[in-house]
Amino acid sequence: RVLAEPPKVLVVDDSLVNRKSLAAMLEQMGVRVLLATDGQEALDLVAQDPPDLIFMDLLMPRMTGIQAASALRERGFEAPILALTAGGESDLAGALEAGMDETLFKPISLRLLRDVLAQWTGFTPEEGGRGDGARDLARQTFLRELPDQAARLARALAQGDREETRRLAHRLKGDAAQGGHRDFSRWVQDLERALEAGEDLTPFRVHLESSDPLSLPKTS
């Protein structure tokens, strides 16, 4: 299917950083953008105003991206659904089984977004712009969100809630990468690895509770 006019795109992500960043880049290309914060909200929006393309995060509260994609396919929704992930997911195969068409890894650049739109909708935005405004917006939003996200992740660690820790760490890792803080994103990835390995997570919790989580501990 080739679209002569800019497509209508639904971005589904519980991360405010990613919703704002993707929306800014898409709108820069003239795309009409719909936003949802979880899978259930996405189902409701699609029923009211079906999009031409969906970007769907995998780990979200209330209803995951995989659950939402599966439900959409069962309802006969045929437009492309592209999975969004910060990487390290064990359920990428589940995304394909649920009917998703491709997996995109965060952070997503303006160039990649332009290519993806052309590939899946046939609409090719004009070249121009480097996405600086979207990057600045992502960075500012990440820094505003960081204190609350760090506190929530530290609380999940203290309570020993593995699923909530996994979800919040995945989100924070992606937010940090999209916000331009790659070192911090890699540090959160180390937390994820330690979680899966059953290691002591106290050092991670203590650091998240510090006044400046972006000031990473030095490694020997």
Side-chain angles (χ1 to χ4, degrees), residues 38-152:
D38 61 40
Q40 184 58 59
E41 190 174 338
L43 293 183
D44 296 339
L45 278 173
V46 171
Q48 298 167 11
D49 193 7
D52 301 301
L53 176 69
I54 297 178
F55 292 102
M56 182 85 75
D57 188 33
L58 292 182
L59 286 181
M60 295 181 288
R62 201 157 67 128
M63 179 181 285
T64 68
I66 289 176
Q67 292 169 333
S70 180
L72 286 170
R73 294 308 190 205
E74 288 175 0
R75 296 180 183 186
F77 181 76
E78 296 181 349
I81 303 175
L82 309 185
L84 297 176
T85 179
E89 288 302 314
S90 59
D91 48 10
L92 292 181
L96 294 176
E97 292 173 2
M100 293 187 178
D101 298 280
E102 184 180 355
T103 297
L104 303 175
F105 292 89
K106 303 173 186 177
I108 297 174
S109 68
L110 183 65
R111 179 181 295 276
L112 174 61
L113 207 54
R114 185 181 286 116
D115 291 344
V116 166
L117 279 177
Q119 176 186 351
W120 289 104
T121 70
F123 172 75
T124 303
E126 293 183 6
E127 293 286 341
R130 299 178 301 173
D132 291 345
R135 279 195 294 271
D136 289 343
L137 180 62
R139 186 177 299 109
Q140 294 164 10
T141 306
F142 167 69
L143 293 175
R144 274 199 309 271
E145 292 276 293
L146 178 59
D148 178 63
Q149 292 305 311
R152 291 176 63 190

